Amino acid sequence: MISRHATPSLLFAALLLAGCSFADKSEPRPAAASAQGCDAGAVQGLIGQTASPDLLEQARQRARAQTARVIGPHDNITLDYNSRRLNLEVDERLTIGQIHCG
């Protein structure tokens, strides 16, 4: 026979497990082209070029991103995911090595 104290514990455990089943849906998805997002694929041809303010703005427009930033090898950046932001990762010489949204 189940005691009265076991019922609240089972209910709590069921709610806890139900909450875990939604965790995967909140993880950021890779950026894909969309009318409201960022399309990093549209600017992959810029890899190997030297980053500049003008190039960053051109890339932002071509990728249809709301914002854009250059990320250096030692830069501190926010880790929040923003599907409408274009990121240009550069080396010490400002050579673009990777472009992605997020």
Side-chain angles (χ1 to χ4, degrees):
M1 182 167 133
I2 299 176
S3 72
R4 281 197 247 178
H5 298 294
T7 303
S9 297
L10 290 173
L11 180 59
F12 177 73
L15 290 173
L16 184 63
L17 290 174
C20 292
S21 69
F22 293 106
D24 292 338
K25 296 177 184 176
S26 65
E27 291 181 14
R29 293 175 286 140
S34 74
Q36 307 220 313
C38 169
D39 181 10
V43 291
Q44 291 300 309
L46 298 177
I47 291 176
Q49 294 189 27
T50 302
S52 69
D54 290 337
L55 185 67
L56 180 65
E57 179 58 20
Q58 290 172 13
R60 184 194 66 77
Q61 290 176 6
R62 285 179 38 200
R64 296 182 307 278
Q66 182 179 18
T67 61
R69 64 183 176 178
V70 174
I71 302 171
H74 305 291
D75 288 352
N76 292 321
I77 60 168
T78 61
L79 298 178
D80 62 313
Y81 182 82
N82 181 347
S83 64
R84 299 174 77 185
R85 178 176 53 212
L86 183 68
N87 298 295
L88 278 66
E89 294 190 28
V90 299
D91 62 14
E92 290 84 5
R93 295 183 182 186
L94 296 179
T95 303
I96 300 169
Q98 190 175 52
I99 300 172
H100 57 90
C101 298

Coordinates of all heavy atoms in Angstrom, one line a residue:
M1 N 0.8 -1.2 0.0 CA 0.0 0.0 0.0 C 0.9 1.3 0.0 O 1.9 1.3 0.7 CB -0.9 0.0 1.2 CG -1.8 1.1 1.3 SD -3.1 0.8 2.6 CE -3.0 2.3 3.4
I2 N 0.5 2.3 -0.8 CA 1.3 3.5 -0.9 C 0.9 4.5 0.2 O -0.3 4.7 0.4 CB 1.1 4.2 -2.3 CG1 1.5 3.2 -3.4 CG2 1.8 5.5 -2.4 CD1 1.3 3.7 -4.8
S3 N 1.8 5.0 0.9 CA 1.5 6.0 1.9 C 1.1 7.3 1.4 O 1.3 7.6 0.2 CB 2.7 6.1 2.9 OG 3.7 6.9 2.2
R4 N 0.5 8.1 2.2 CA 0.1 9.5 1.8 C 1.2 10.4 1.4 O 1.1 11.2 0.6 CB -0.7 10.1 2.9 CG -2.1 9.6 3.0 CD -2.9 10.6 3.8 NE -3.3 10.0 5.1 CZ -4.0 10.6 6.0 NH1 -4.3 11.9 5.8 NH2 -4.3 10.0 7.1
H5 N 2.4 10.1 2.0 CA 3.6 10.9 1.7 C 4.2 10.6 0.4 O 4.9 11.4 -0.2 CB 4.6 10.8 2.8 CG 4.1 11.2 4.2 ND1 3.8 12.5 4.4 CD2 3.8 10.5 5.3 CE1 3.3 12.6 5.7 NE2 3.3 11.4 6.2
A6 N 3.9 9.4 -0.1 CA 4.5 9.0 -1.4 C 3.8 9.7 -2.6 O 4.5 10.0 -3.6 CB 4.4 7.5 -1.6
T7 N 2.5 10.1 -2.5 CA 1.8 10.7 -3.6 C 2.4 12.1 -3.9 O 2.7 12.3 -5.1 CB 0.3 10.8 -3.2 OG1 -0.2 9.5 -3.0 CG2 -0.5 11.4 -4.4
P8 N 2.6 13.0 -3.0 CA 3.3 14.3 -3.3 C 4.7 14.1 -3.9 O 5.0 14.8 -4.9 CB 3.3 15.0 -2.0 CG 2.3 14.4 -1.2 CD 2.2 13.0 -1.6
S9 N 5.4 13.1 -3.4 CA 6.7 12.9 -4.0 C 6.7 12.4 -5.4 O 7.5 12.8 -6.3 CB 7.5 11.8 -3.1 OG 7.7 12.3 -1.8
L10 N 5.7 11.5 -5.7 CA 5.6 11.0 -7.1 C 5.1 12.1 -8.0 O 5.5 12.2 -9.1 CB 4.6 9.8 -7.1 CG 5.1 8.5 -6.5 CD1 3.9 7.5 -6.4 CD2 6.2 8.0 -7.2
L11 N 4.2 13.0 -7.5 CA 3.7 14.1 -8.3 C 4.9 15.0 -8.6 O 5.1 15.5 -9.8 CB 2.6 14.8 -7.6 CG 2.0 16.0 -8.3 CD1 1.5 15.6 -9.6 CD2 1.0 16.7 -7.4
F12 N 5.7 15.3 -7.6 CA 6.9 16.2 -7.9 C 7.9 15.6 -8.9 O 8.4 16.2 -9.8 CB 7.6 16.4 -6.5 CG 8.9 17.3 -6.7 CD1 8.8 18.6 -6.9 CD2 10.1 16.7 -6.6 CE1 10.0 19.4 -7.1 CE2 11.3 17.4 -6.8 CZ 11.2 18.8 -7.0
A13 N 8.1 14.3 -8.7 CA 9.0 13.6 -9.7 C 8.5 13.6 -11.1 O 9.2 13.8 -12.1 CB 9.2 12.1 -9.2
A14 N 7.1 13.4 -11.2 CA 6.5 13.5 -12.6 C 6.6 14.9 -13.2 O 6.9 15.0 -14.4 CB 5.1 13.1 -12.5
L15 N 6.4 15.9 -12.4 CA 6.6 17.3 -12.9 C 8.0 17.6 -13.3 O 8.3 18.2 -14.3 CB 6.1 18.3 -11.8 CG 4.6 18.3 -11.6 CD1 4.2 19.2 -10.4 CD2 3.8 18.8 -12.9
L16 N 8.9 17.1 -12.5 CA 10.3 17.3 -12.8 C 10.7 16.7 -14.1 O 11.4 17.3 -14.9 CB 11.2 16.8 -11.6 CG 12.7 17.0 -11.7 CD1 13.0 18.5 -11.7 CD2 13.4 16.3 -10.6
L17 N 10.3 15.4 -14.3 CA 10.6 14.7 -15.5 C 9.9 15.4 -16.7 O 10.4 15.5 -17.8 CB 10.2 13.3 -15.4 CG 11.1 12.4 -14.5 CD1 10.5 11.0 -14.3 CD2 12.5 12.4 -15.0
A18 N 8.7 15.9 -16.5 CA 8.0 16.6 -17.6 C 8.7 17.8 -18.0 O 8.8 18.2 -19.2 CB 6.6 16.9 -17.2
G19 N 9.3 18.5 -17.1 CA 10.1 19.7 -17.4 C 11.3 19.4 -18.2 O 11.7 20.1 -19.1
C20 N 11.9 18.3 -17.9 CA 13.1 17.9 -18.6 C 12.8 17.5 -20.1 O 13.7 17.7 -20.9 CB 13.8 16.7 -18.0 SG 14.5 17.0 -16.4
S21 N 11.6 17.1 -20.4 CA 11.3 16.7 -21.7 C 11.2 17.9 -22.6 O 11.3 17.8 -23.8 CB 10.0 15.9 -21.8 OG 8.9 16.8 -21.4
F22 N 11.1 19.1 -22.1 CA 11.0 20.3 -22.9 C 12.4 21.0 -23.0 O 12.5 21.9 -23.8 CB 10.0 21.3 -22.3 CG 8.6 20.9 -22.3 CD1 8.0 20.4 -21.2 CD2 7.9 20.9 -23.5 CE1 6.7 20.0 -21.2 CE2 6.6 20.4 -23.6 CZ 6.0 20.0 -22.4
A23 N 13.4 20.5 -22.3 CA 14.7 21.2 -22.3 C 15.3 21.2 -23.7 O 16.0 22.2 -24.1 CB 15.7 20.5 -21.4
D24 N 15.2 20.1 -24.5 CA 15.8 20.0 -25.8 C 15.2 21.1 -26.8 O 15.9 21.5 -27.7 CB 15.7 18.7 -26.4 CG 16.5 17.6 -25.7 OD1 17.4 18.0 -25.0 OD2 16.1 16.4 -25.8
K25 N 14.0 21.5 -26.6 CA 13.3 22.4 -27.5 C 13.8 23.8 -27.3 O 13.7 24.7 -28.1 CB 11.8 22.3 -27.3 CG 11.2 21.0 -27.7 CD 9.8 21.0 -27.4 CE 9.2 19.6 -27.7 NZ 7.8 19.4 -27.4
S26 N 14.5 24.1 -26.1 CA 14.9 25.5 -25.9 C 16.4 25.7 -26.3 O 16.8 26.8 -26.3 CB 14.8 25.8 -24.4 OG 15.7 24.9 -23.6
E27 N 17.1 24.7 -26.7 CA 18.4 24.8 -27.1 C 18.5 25.6 -28.5 O 17.6 25.4 -29.3 CB 19.1 23.5 -27.3 CG 19.3 22.8 -26.0 CD 20.0 21.5 -26.1 OE1 20.6 21.2 -27.2 OE2 20.0 20.7 -25.1
P28 N 19.5 26.4 -28.7 CA 19.6 27.2 -29.9 C 19.8 26.3 -31.1 O 20.5 25.3 -31.0 CB 20.8 28.1 -29.7 CG 21.4 27.7 -28.5 CD 20.5 26.8 -27.7
R29 N 19.1 26.6 -32.2 CA 19.2 25.9 -33.4 C 20.3 26.5 -34.3 O 20.5 27.7 -34.2 CB 17.9 25.8 -34.2 CG 16.8 25.1 -33.4 CD 15.5 25.2 -34.2 NE 15.0 26.5 -33.9 CZ 14.4 27.3 -34.8 NH1 14.2 26.9 -36.0 NH2 13.9 28.5 -34.5
P30 N 20.9 25.8 -35.2 CA 21.9 26.5 -36.1 C 21.1 27.5 -36.9 O 20.0 27.3 -37.3 CB 22.4 25.3 -37.0 CG 22.1 24.1 -36.2 CD 20.9 24.4 -35.3
A31 N 21.8 28.6 -37.2 CA 21.2 29.7 -37.9 C 20.9 29.2 -39.4 O 21.8 28.6 -40.0 CB 22.1 30.9 -37.9
A32 N 19.8 29.5 -39.8 CA 19.4 29.2 -41.2 C 18.8 30.4 -41.9 O 18.4 31.3 -41.2 CB 18.3 28.0 -41.2
A33 N 18.8 30.4 -43.1 CA 18.2 31.5 -43.9 C 16.7 31.6 -43.6 O 16.0 30.6 -43.7 CB 18.5 31.4 -45.4
S34 N 16.3 32.8 -43.3 CA 14.9 33.1 -43.1 C 14.6 34.5 -43.3 O 15.5 35.3 -43.3 CB 14.4 32.6 -41.7 OG 14.9 33.5 -40.8
A35 N 13.4 34.9 -43.5 CA 13.0 36.3 -43.7 C 13.4 37.1 -42.5 O 13.7 38.3 -42.7 CB 11.6 36.4 -44.0
Q36 N 13.4 36.6 -41.3 CA 13.7 37.4 -40.1 C 15.0 37.0 -39.5 O 15.4 37.7 -38.5 CB 12.6 37.1 -39.1 CG 11.2 37.3 -39.8 CD 10.3 38.0 -38.8 OE1 10.2 37.6 -37.7 NE2 9.6 39.0 -39.3
G37 N 15.7 36.1 -40.0 CA 17.0 35.7 -39.4 C 18.2 36.1 -40.2 O 18.2 37.1 -40.9
C38 N 19.2 35.4 -40.1 CA 20.5 35.7 -40.6 C 20.9 34.5 -41.6 O 20.7 33.4 -41.2 CB 21.5 35.8 -39.5 SG 23.2 35.9 -39.9
D39 N 21.5 34.8 -42.7 CA 21.9 33.8 -43.7 C 23.4 33.9 -43.8 O 23.9 34.6 -44.7 CB 21.2 34.0 -45.0 CG 21.6 32.9 -46.0 OD1 22.3 32.0 -45.7 OD2 21.2 33.1 -47.2
A40 N 24.2 33.2 -43.0 CA 25.6 33.2 -43.0 C 26.1 32.6 -44.3 O 27.2 32.9 -44.8 CB 26.2 32.5 -41.8
G41 N 25.4 31.7 -44.9 CA 25.8 31.1 -46.2 C 25.9 32.1 -47.3 O 26.7 31.9 -48.2
A42 N 25.2 33.2 -47.2 CA 25.3 34.2 -48.3 C 26.6 35.0 -48.3 O 26.9 35.6 -49.3 CB 24.1 35.2 -48.1
V43 N 27.4 34.9 -47.2 CA 28.6 35.6 -47.1 C 29.9 34.8 -46.9 O 30.9 35.3 -46.5 CB 28.5 36.7 -46.0 CG1 27.5 37.8 -46.5 CG2 28.1 36.2 -44.7
Q44 N 29.8 33.5 -47.1 CA 30.9 32.6 -46.8 C 32.1 32.9 -47.8 O 33.2 32.6 -47.5 CB 30.5 31.1 -47.0 CG 29.6 30.6 -45.9 CD 30.2 30.7 -44.5 OE1 31.3 30.3 -44.3 NE2 29.4 31.3 -43.6
G45 N 31.8 33.6 -48.9 CA 32.9 34.0 -49.8 C 33.8 35.0 -49.2 O 34.9 35.3 -49.8
L46 N 33.5 35.6 -48.1 CA 34.3 36.6 -47.5 C 35.4 36.0 -46.6 O 36.3 36.7 -46.2 CB 33.5 37.5 -46.6 CG 32.4 38.3 -47.3 CD1 31.6 39.2 -46.3 CD2 33.0 39.2 -48.4
I47 N 35.4 34.7 -46.4 CA 36.4 34.0 -45.6 C 37.8 34.2 -46.3 O 37.9 34.0 -47.5 CB 36.1 32.5 -45.4 CG1 34.9 32.4 -44.5 CG2 37.3 31.8 -44.8 CD1 34.4 31.0 -44.3
G48 N 38.8 34.6 -45.6 CA 40.1 34.9 -46.1 C 40.4 36.4 -46.4 O 41.5 36.8 -46.5
Q49 N 39.3 37.2 -46.4 CA 39.5 38.6 -46.6 C 39.7 39.3 -45.2 O 39.5 38.7 -44.2 CB 38.2 39.2 -47.2 CG 38.0 38.7 -48.6 CD 36.9 39.5 -49.3 OE1 36.6 40.6 -49.0 NE2 36.2 38.8 -50.3
T50 N 40.2 40.5 -45.3 CA 40.5 41.3 -44.1 C 39.3 42.0 -43.7 O 38.6 42.7 -44.5 CB 41.7 42.3 -44.4 OG1 42.8 41.5 -44.8 CG2 42.0 43.1 -43.1
A51 N 38.9 41.9 -42.4 CA 37.7 42.5 -41.9 C 37.9 44.0 -41.7 O 39.0 44.5 -41.4 CB 37.4 42.0 -40.5
S52 N 36.9 44.8 -42.0 CA 36.9 46.3 -41.9 C 35.5 46.7 -41.5 O 34.6 45.9 -41.7 CB 37.4 46.9 -43.1 OG 36.4 46.8 -44.2
P53 N 35.3 47.9 -41.0 CA 33.9 48.3 -40.8 C 33.0 48.3 -42.0 O 31.9 47.9 -41.9 CB 34.1 49.8 -40.3 CG 35.5 49.8 -39.7 CD 36.3 48.8 -40.6
D54 N 33.6 48.7 -43.2 CA 32.8 48.7 -44.4 C 32.4 47.2 -44.8 O 31.3 47.0 -45.2 CB 33.5 49.3 -45.5 CG 33.6 50.9 -45.4 OD1 32.8 51.4 -44.6 OD2 34.5 51.5 -46.0
L55 N 33.4 46.3 -44.7 CA 33.1 44.9 -45.1 C 32.1 44.3 -44.1 O 31.2 43.6 -44.5 CB 34.4 44.1 -45.0 CG 34.3 42.7 -45.5 CD1 33.9 42.6 -47.0 CD2 35.6 41.9 -45.2
L56 N 32.2 44.7 -42.8 CA 31.2 44.2 -41.8 C 29.8 44.6 -42.2 O 28.9 43.8 -42.1 CB 31.6 44.6 -40.4 CG 30.7 44.2 -39.3 CD1 30.8 42.7 -39.1 CD2 31.1 44.9 -38.0
E57 N 29.7 45.9 -42.5 CA 28.3 46.4 -42.9 C 27.8 45.7 -44.2 O 26.6 45.4 -44.3 CB 28.4 47.9 -43.0 CG 27.0 48.5 -43.4 CD 25.9 48.2 -42.4 OE1 26.1 47.8 -41.3 OE2 24.7 48.3 -42.9
Q58 N 28.7 45.5 -45.1 CA 28.3 44.9 -46.4 C 27.8 43.4 -46.1 O 26.8 43.0 -46.6 CB 29.4 44.9 -47.4 CG 29.7 46.2 -48.0 CD 31.0 46.2 -48.8 OE1 31.5 45.1 -49.2 NE2 31.5 47.4 -49.2
A59 N 28.6 42.7 -45.3 CA 28.3 41.4 -44.9 C 26.9 41.3 -44.2 O 26.1 40.4 -44.4 CB 29.4 40.8 -44.0
R60 N 26.7 42.2 -43.2 CA 25.5 42.3 -42.5 C 24.3 42.4 -43.4 O 23.3 41.7 -43.3 CB 25.5 43.4 -41.5 CG 24.2 43.5 -40.6 CD 24.1 44.8 -39.8 NE 23.8 45.9 -40.7 CZ 22.6 46.1 -41.3 NH1 21.6 45.3 -41.1 NH2 22.5 47.2 -42.1
Q61 N 24.4 43.3 -44.4 CA 23.3 43.5 -45.3 C 23.1 42.3 -46.2 O 21.9 41.9 -46.4 CB 23.6 44.8 -46.2 CG 23.5 46.1 -45.4 CD 23.9 47.3 -46.2 OE1 24.1 47.2 -47.4 NE2 23.9 48.4 -45.6
R62 N 24.1 41.7 -46.7 CA 24.0 40.6 -47.6 C 23.4 39.4 -46.9 O 22.7 38.6 -47.5 CB 25.3 40.2 -48.2 CG 25.7 41.2 -49.4 CD 27.1 40.9 -50.0 NE 27.4 39.5 -50.2 CZ 28.7 39.1 -50.4 NH1 29.7 40.0 -50.3 NH2 28.9 37.9 -50.5
A63 N 23.8 39.2 -45.6 CA 23.3 38.1 -44.8 C 21.9 38.4 -44.2 O 21.3 37.5 -43.6 CB 24.2 37.8 -43.7
R64 N 21.4 39.6 -44.5 CA 20.1 40.0 -44.0 C 20.0 39.9 -42.4 O 19.0 39.5 -41.8 CB 18.9 39.3 -44.6 CG 18.8 39.5 -46.1 CD 17.7 38.8 -46.8 NE 17.6 37.4 -46.5 CZ 18.3 36.5 -47.2 NH1 19.1 36.8 -48.2 NH2 18.1 35.2 -46.9
A65 N 21.1 40.2 -41.8 CA 21.2 40.2 -40.3 C 20.8 41.5 -39.7 O 21.1 42.6 -40.4 CB 22.6 39.8 -39.9
Q66 N 20.3 41.5 -38.6 CA 20.0 42.8 -37.9 C 21.2 43.5 -37.3 O 21.3 44.7 -37.4 CB 19.0 42.5 -36.7 CG 18.5 43.7 -36.0 CD 17.6 43.4 -34.9 OE1 17.5 42.3 -34.4 NE2 16.8 44.4 -34.4
T67 N 22.1 42.7 -36.8 CA 23.4 43.2 -36.3 C 24.5 42.3 -36.7 O 24.3 41.2 -37.2 CB 23.4 43.2 -34.7 OG1 23.2 41.9 -34.2 CG2 22.2 44.1 -34.2
A68 N 25.7 42.8 -36.6 CA 26.9 42.1 -36.9 C 28.1 42.5 -36.0 O 28.1 43.6 -35.5 CB 27.3 42.3 -38.4
R69 N 29.0 41.6 -35.8 CA 30.2 41.9 -35.0 C 31.4 41.1 -35.5 O 31.2 40.0 -36.1 CB 29.9 41.6 -33.5 CG 29.6 40.1 -33.2 CD 29.3 39.9 -31.8 NE 29.0 38.5 -31.5 CZ 28.7 38.0 -30.3 NH1 28.7 38.7 -29.3 NH2 28.4 36.7 -30.2
V70 N 32.5 41.6 -35.2 CA 33.8 41.0 -35.5 C 34.3 40.4 -34.2 O 34.3 41.1 -33.1 CB 34.8 41.9 -36.1 CG1 36.2 41.3 -36.2 CG2 34.3 42.4 -37.4
I71 N 34.7 39.1 -34.2 CA 35.2 38.5 -32.9 C 36.6 38.1 -33.1 O 37.0 37.3 -34.0 CB 34.4 37.2 -32.6 CG1 32.9 37.5 -32.5 CG2 34.9 36.5 -31.4 CD1 32.0 36.3 -32.4
G72 N 37.5 38.8 -32.3 CA 38.9 38.5 -32.4 C 39.3 37.3 -31.5 O 38.5 36.8 -30.7
P73 N 40.5 36.8 -31.7 CA 40.9 35.6 -30.9 C 40.9 35.7 -29.4 O 40.8 34.8 -28.7 CB 42.3 35.3 -31.5 CG 42.8 36.5 -32.1 CD 41.6 37.3 -32.5
H74 N 41.1 36.9 -28.9 CA 41.1 37.1 -27.5 C 40.0 38.0 -26.9 O 40.0 38.5 -25.8 CB 42.5 37.8 -27.1 CG 43.6 37.0 -27.5 ND1 43.9 35.7 -27.0 CD2 44.5 37.2 -28.5 CE1 45.0 35.2 -27.6 NE2 45.4 36.1 -28.6
D75 N 39.0 38.2 -27.8 CA 37.8 39.0 -27.4 C 36.9 38.3 -26.4 O 36.7 37.1 -26.5 CB 37.0 39.4 -28.6 CG 37.7 40.4 -29.5 OD1 38.8 41.0 -29.1 OD2 37.2 40.7 -30.6
N76 N 36.4 39.1 -25.4 CA 35.4 38.6 -24.6 C 34.0 38.9 -25.2 O 33.8 40.1 -25.7 CB 35.4 39.3 -23.2 CG 36.6 39.0 -22.4 OD1 37.1 37.8 -22.4 ND2 37.2 39.9 -21.7
I77 N 33.2 37.9 -25.4 CA 31.9 38.1 -26.0 C 30.8 37.6 -25.2 O 31.0 36.7 -24.3 CB 31.9 37.5 -27.4 CG1 32.1 35.9 -27.3 CG2 32.9 38.1 -28.4 CD1 31.8 35.2 -28.6
T78 N 29.6 38.1 -25.5 CA 28.4 37.5 -24.8 C 28.1 36.1 -25.4 O 28.4 35.9 -26.6 CB 27.2 38.4 -24.9 OG1 26.9 38.5 -26.3 CG2 27.4 39.8 -24.3
L79 N 27.6 35.2 -24.7 CA 27.3 33.9 -25.2 C 25.8 33.7 -25.5 O 25.4 32.6 -25.7 CB 27.8 32.8 -24.2 CG 29.3 32.8 -24.0 CD1 29.7 31.8 -22.9 CD2 30.1 32.6 -25.2
D80 N 25.1 34.8 -25.4 CA 23.7 34.7 -25.8 C 23.5 34.4 -27.2 O 24.2 34.9 -28.1 CB 22.9 36.0 -25.4 CG 23.4 37.2 -26.1 OD1 24.6 37.4 -26.2 OD2 22.6 38.0 -26.6
Y81 N 22.6 33.6 -27.6 CA 22.3 33.2 -29.0 C 21.3 34.2 -29.6 O 20.3 34.5 -29.0 CB 21.7 31.8 -29.1 CG 21.5 31.3 -30.5 CD1 22.5 30.9 -31.2 CD2 20.2 31.5 -31.1 CE1 22.3 30.5 -32.5 CE2 20.0 31.1 -32.4 CZ 21.1 30.6 -33.1 OH 20.9 30.2 -34.4
N82 N 21.7 34.8 -30.7 CA 20.8 35.7 -31.4 C 20.8 35.3 -32.9 O 21.8 35.5 -33.6 CB 21.4 37.2 -31.2 CG 20.5 38.2 -31.9 OD1 19.6 37.9 -32.7 ND2 20.8 39.5 -31.6
S83 N 19.7 34.8 -33.3 CA 19.6 34.3 -34.7 C 19.6 35.4 -35.7 O 19.8 35.1 -36.9 CB 18.3 33.5 -34.8 OG 17.2 34.3 -34.7
R84 N 19.6 36.6 -35.3 CA 19.6 37.8 -36.2 C 20.9 38.5 -36.2 O 21.0 39.6 -36.7 CB 18.4 38.7 -35.8 CG 17.1 38.0 -35.9 CD 16.0 38.9 -35.4 NE 15.7 39.8 -36.5 CZ 14.8 40.8 -36.3 NH1 14.1 40.9 -35.2 NH2 14.6 41.7 -37.3
R85 N 22.0 37.9 -35.6 CA 23.3 38.5 -35.5 C 24.3 37.7 -36.4 O 24.4 36.5 -36.3 CB 23.7 38.6 -34.1 CG 25.1 39.2 -33.9 CD 25.5 39.3 -32.5 NE 25.4 38.0 -31.8 CZ 25.1 38.0 -30.5 NH1 24.9 39.1 -29.8 NH2 25.0 36.8 -29.9
L86 N 25.1 38.4 -37.1 CA 26.1 37.8 -37.9 C 27.5 38.0 -37.2 O 27.8 39.0 -36.7 CB 26.2 38.5 -39.3 CG 27.3 37.9 -40.3 CD1 26.9 36.5 -40.7 CD2 27.4 38.9 -41.5
N87 N 28.2 36.9 -37.1 CA 29.5 36.9 -36.4 C 30.6 36.6 -37.4 O 30.6 35.6 -38.1 CB 29.6 35.8 -35.3 CG 28.5 36.1 -34.3 OD1 28.6 37.1 -33.6 ND2 27.6 35.2 -34.2
L88 N 31.6 37.5 -37.5 CA 32.8 37.2 -38.3 C 34.0 37.0 -37.3 O 34.4 37.9 -36.6 CB 33.1 38.5 -39.2 CG 32.4 38.6 -40.5 CD1 30.9 38.8 -40.2 CD2 33.0 39.7 -41.3
E89 N 34.5 35.8 -37.3 CA 35.6 35.5 -36.5 C 36.9 35.7 -37.2 O 37.1 35.2 -38.4 CB 35.5 34.0 -36.0 CG 34.3 33.8 -35.1 CD 34.3 32.5 -34.4 OE1 35.4 31.9 -34.1 OE2 33.2 32.0 -34.0
V90 N 37.8 36.4 -36.6 CA 39.1 36.8 -37.3 C 40.3 36.4 -36.4 O 40.2 36.1 -35.2 CB 39.1 38.3 -37.5 CG1 38.0 38.8 -38.4 CG2 39.1 39.1 -36.2
D91 N 41.4 36.4 -37.1 CA 42.7 36.1 -36.4 C 43.4 37.4 -36.0 O 42.7 38.5 -36.1 CB 43.6 35.2 -37.2 CG 44.0 35.8 -38.5 OD1 43.9 37.1 -38.7 OD2 44.6 35.1 -39.4
E92 N 44.6 37.3 -35.5 CA 45.3 38.5 -35.1 C 45.5 39.6 -36.2 O 45.6 40.8 -36.0 CB 46.7 38.2 -34.5 CG 46.6 37.5 -33.2 CD 46.4 36.0 -33.4 OE1 46.4 35.4 -34.5 OE2 46.2 35.3 -32.3
R93 N 45.5 39.1 -37.4 CA 45.7 40.0 -38.6 C 44.4 40.5 -39.2 O 44.3 41.0 -40.3 CB 46.5 39.3 -39.6 CG 47.9 39.0 -39.2 CD 48.7 38.4 -40.3 NE 50.0 38.1 -39.8 CZ 51.0 37.7 -40.6 NH1 50.8 37.5 -41.9 NH2 52.2 37.4 -40.1
L94 N 43.3 40.2 -38.5 CA 41.9 40.5 -38.9 C 41.5 39.8 -40.2 O 40.5 40.2 -40.9 CB 41.7 42.0 -39.1 CG 41.9 42.9 -37.9 CD1 41.7 44.4 -38.3 CD2 40.9 42.5 -36.8
T95 N 42.1 38.6 -40.4 CA 41.7 37.8 -41.5 C 40.5 36.9 -41.1 O 40.5 36.3 -40.0 CB 42.8 36.9 -42.0 OG1 43.9 37.7 -42.3 CG2 42.4 36.0 -43.2
I96 N 39.4 37.0 -41.9 CA 38.2 36.3 -41.5 C 38.4 34.8 -41.7 O 38.8 34.3 -42.8 CB 37.0 36.7 -42.4 CG1 36.8 38.2 -42.2 CG2 35.8 35.9 -42.1 CD1 35.8 38.9 -43.1
G97 N 38.2 34.0 -40.6 CA 38.4 32.6 -40.7 C 37.1 31.8 -40.6 O 37.0 30.7 -41.1
Q98 N 36.0 32.4 -40.0 CA 34.8 31.7 -39.9 C 33.7 32.8 -39.8 O 33.8 33.8 -39.2 CB 34.8 30.9 -38.6 CG 33.6 29.9 -38.5 CD 33.8 29.1 -37.2 OE1 34.0 29.6 -36.1 NE2 33.7 27.8 -37.4
I99 N 32.5 32.4 -40.4 CA 31.4 33.3 -40.4 C 30.2 32.4 -40.0 O 29.9 31.4 -40.6 CB 31.1 33.9 -41.8 CG1 32.3 34.7 -42.2 CG2 29.9 34.8 -41.8 CD1 32.3 35.3 -43.7
H100 N 29.4 32.9 -39.0 CA 28.2 32.2 -38.6 C 27.2 33.2 -38.0 O 27.6 34.3 -37.6 CB 28.6 31.1 -37.6 CG 29.3 31.5 -36.4 ND1 28.7 31.9 -35.2 CD2 30.7 31.7 -36.2 CE1 29.6 32.3 -34.4 NE2 30.8 32.2 -34.9
C101 N 26.0 32.7 -37.9 CA 25.0 33.5 -37.2 C 24.8 33.0 -35.8 O 25.1 31.9 -35.4 CB 23.7 33.3 -37.9 SG 23.7 34.0 -39.6
G102 N 24.4 33.9 -34.9 CA 24.1 33.5 -33.5 C 24.5 34.5 -32.5 O 24.9 35.5 -32.7

